[in-house]
Amino acid sequence: MESLNVLLLPEPGSGHLMSLIEAGKRLLGHGAAGGDDGHHGRELTVTVLVVRPPTPESALEVDAHVRRVAASSIGIRFHHLPAEDPPTDCGGNLQEFKSRYLELYKPHVRAAARELCASALVIDFFATPVLDVARELSLPAYVYFTSTAGLLALMLRLPALDQEFDTDFEAFEGTVDVPGLPPVPAGSTPGFMGRKNSPNFTWFVYHGRRFMDADGIIINTVAEVEPGLLAAIAEGRCVPGRPAPPLYPIGPVLDLDAKKDASNEACIRWLDAQPRASVVFLCFGSLGWFDAAKAREVAAGLERSGHRFLWALRGPPAAGSRHPSEADLDELLPEGFLQRTKERGLVWPRWAPQKAALAHPAVGGFVTHCGWNSTLESLWHGVPLVPWPLYAEQHLNAFELVSAMGVAVPLEVDRKRDNFVEAAELERAVRALMDGDSEEGRRAREKAAEMKDACRKAVEEGGSSRVALERLREAIREGARAATTTA
């Protein structure tokens, strides 16, 4: 039988691209949710359509990852699309920028689909305008959703919310109805929802509407981790009167291979010397950084908590960049802090080996920005969390981790002061998470252990994510057969 070529179109940010490549591995039968022998995926080939990242830093990171995957023997192919100049009039509207940038690639995706004899198209959720190309070419098209079922439910509901609310969400004091979640305080809605007249909000309303045009939505979550939300979406409660496209929860889609880096060996050696589950790990993602005011509050909170800590601290980006710099510890930390805490703490001033740290038995808690990839890594290892959201959908993720999943101890974050956290509040949350006699911490640890078990069972033979993956493969085969019949 001739193999079916599935084209993947990721958003060029490394988090989205790497997640979709991992999903491609699963389709081929490799990796945590795909088995190891690849026999299920033999009739499929997977080709990633590479969009040029818009900044030199992200281009370097993406190119390195593409080279690593291309050099491996797993069979993922890459097709570089012709470069387009990124839009220059988006201001700081990142979601608008991503959406408009991917929209520019519609003609190139059309040409690639014809040239590569595509059988199906899987697109990042920022690329929904490309669904028009799939319809034009009679190709089955799937949206790949890199975040939570909570955000998916909200985005599906967003066109209706846009009609229901006259005021800006940042000025609203009440709660927002997201089917499958407890009532969501307006202060926990994603940043893009703040002002209704912003291009970011307009684009998210558009994407939420277009999701309904897909042949299916592949989502990086686990049925047992977000059961109520997945049920609400599948039952059509987010878009009344219209059934949602089929859902394929195939997560956790993670690249769990911790890349060895000699510059980080001292960090892991330090963890090796700590007692089991005694260290709270603080790390805030590829874009997370602190100024001196925030860093000094963190330092004071950690020092007063009395607990061991590993803190990945990054400094402000250089002019013209979004990427954090290596931290100047003398400038960011209180005088004498490193000396006073040297027996029980380590401040790591650059990129930290997060995967290796979360897998390490010494780590017993994770203070995190709540990016979904980081959260899934934490759940995979059964590490409970303290959510400190910074941007994007992270405030909604934080709400869900505390109020729906129960795997986290809440932290009071002041959004009006650029997500500021007082030292006393961080001290309270770290103590609640790490103290052995804390009821709040005990519950979060128990729920995190349950989620670890659920994540690992889901990707085993017969597990929910493996079953969803086989349903997806069969849907792709059926779609290809239908397209051949009507051609």
Side-chain angles (χ1 to χ4, degrees):
M1 168 183 169
E2 189 178 335
S3 66
L4 305 175
N5 193 11
V6 181
L7 304 189
L8 312 184
L9 178 66
E11 189 268 318
S14 58
H16 283 237
L17 175 125
M18 292 175 191
S19 184
L20 190 45
I21 289 174
E22 287 302 312
K25 292 180 187 177
R26 309 294 192 262
L27 273 175
L28 288 176
H30 298 283
D36 294 315
D37 58 7
H39 71 277
H40 291 300
R42 253 182 231 146
E43 76 278 28
L44 299 178
T45 56
V46 169
T47 304
V48 179
L49 303 179
V50 182
V51 170
R52 186 187 69 178
T55 68
E57 298 106 319
S58 54
L60 281 172
E61 193 175 1
V62 164
D63 288 347
H65 191 71
V66 166
R67 278 198 301 274
R68 275 196 304 272
V69 176
S72 69
S73 57
I74 57 176
I76 299 268
R77 303 170 183 181
F78 293 92
H79 179 87
H80 290 262
L81 298 176
E84 288 284 348
D85 290 330
T88 57
D89 58 345
C90 296
N93 295 315
L94 185 61
Q95 288 85 9
E96 178 198 12
F97 175 85
K98 290 181 176 186
S99 305
R100 285 178 53 193
Y101 189 42
L102 284 169
E103 188 175 30
L104 294 173
Y105 282 83
K106 280 171 70 172
H108 303 312
V109 174
R110 183 185 297 110
R114 288 182 168 134
E115 178 188 340
L116 301 171
C117 302
S119 302
L121 188 59
V122 179
I123 62 169
D124 186 271
F125 75 78
F126 279 109
T128 61
V130 177
L131 290 170
D132 299 334
V133 173
R135 291 292 159 264
E136 181 188 324
L137 301 178
S138 300
L139 280 178
Y142 300 85
V143 168
Y144 182 67
F145 201 78
T146 49
S147 190
T148 62
L151 181 62
L152 177 58
L154 174 62
M155 288 183 69
L156 288 168
R157 174 114 171 72
L158 207 52
L161 284 174
D162 185 29
Q163 300 299 314
E164 291 169 23
F165 280 80
D166 294 327
T167 109
D168 286 344
F169 288 93
E170 66 184 12
F172 180 59
E173 298 291 332
T175 59
V176 176
D177 170 44
V178 178
L181 280 178
V184 179
S188 292
T189 56
F192 66 78
M193 284 181 64
R195 294 187 309 282
K196 289 184 63 182
N197 65 354
S198 78
N200 287 342
F201 182 80
T202 303
W203 269 104
F204 268 77
V205 171
Y206 174 86
H207 293 315
R209 189 176 290 117
R210 292 306 305 270
F211 290 167
M212 298 296 287
D213 298 334
D215 291 288
I217 301 175
I218 307 162
I219 179 167
N220 185 11
T221 193
V222 177
E224 293 79 7
V225 170
E226 298 187 278
L229 283 154
L230 290 168
I233 297 166
E235 291 162 9
R237 283 190 270 144
C238 298
V239 186
R242 284 189 68 193
L247 291 178
Y248 302 96
I250 65 167
V253 177
L254 293 170
D255 177 6
L256 291 163
D257 294 331
K259 309 286 184 295
K260 293 223 175 347
D261 184 338
S263 68
N264 289 314
E265 282 176 8
C267 187
I268 301 305
R269 278 201 306 274
W270 183 85
L271 283 174
D272 290 341
Q274 309 309 315
R276 182 177 184 83
S278 67
V279 174
V280 60
F281 175 44
L282 300 90
C283 191
F284 298 92
S286 58
L287 298 179
W289 59 272
F290 286 175
D291 60 18
K294 278 184 183 168
R296 285 168 187 164
E297 292 292 317
V298 175
L302 289 176
E303 186 170 357
R304 296 203 300 248
S305 78
H307 284 282
R308 289 177 167 83
F309 62 87
L310 170 60
W311 177 14
L313 173 60
R314 310 288 297 283
S321 172
R322 290 181 61 239
H323 295 262
S325 60
E326 190 163 313
D328 181 337
L329 299 186
D330 289 335
E331 185 179 295
L332 293 177
L333 295 175
E335 191 174 345
F337 169 75
L338 294 175
Q339 187 64 27
R340 292 192 300 274
T341 59
K342 67 180 182 181
E343 299 303 323
R344 61 178 176 86
L346 178 64
V347 181
W348 200 247
R350 54 183 180 274
W351 180 88
Q354 179 174 292
K355 292 173 191 175
L358 288 171
H360 200 286
V363 170
F366 186 24
V367 180
T368 170
H369 65 306
C370 302
W372 188 228
N373 285 337
S374 296
T375 301
L376 283 175
E377 286 173 16
S378 199
L379 296 182
W380 178 263
H381 294 294
V383 179
L385 308 108
V386 170
W388 186 339
L390 299 176
Y391 52 86
E393 86 286 16
Q394 293 162 12
H395 287 273
L396 182 67
N397 294 355
F399 173 79
E400 186 180 348
L401 290 171
V402 172
S403 302
M405 295 186 202
V407 295
V409 167
L411 183 72
E412 192 172 311
V413 176
D414 189 343
R415 282 186 88 164
K416 291 185 170 65
R417 294 171 65 198
D418 190 27
N419 302 307
F420 195 83
V421 172
E422 303 280 354
E425 175 60 9
L426 182 65
E427 176 192 359
R428 181 205 60 76
V430 168
R431 284 180 179 275
L433 186 70
M434 302 296 290
D435 284 357
D437 58 356
S438 160
E439 178 64 20
E440 204 175 12
R442 184 190 62 76
R443 283 199 305 269
R445 286 190 292 276
E446 284 178 1
K447 290 300 290 185
E450 287 174 24
M451 294 300 182
K452 173 181 177 178
D453 191 45
C455 287
R456 289 168 186 250
K457 283 183 175 168
V459 299
E460 292 171 358
E461 192 68 47
S464 61
S465 294
R466 288 282 282 273
V467 170
L469 194 60
E470 191 46 55
R471 280 197 298 114
L472 174 60
R473 290 193 189 108
E474 185 53 38
I476 289 170
R477 289 190 286 260
E478 285 290 331
R481 280 196 287 268
T484 304
T485 306
T486 56

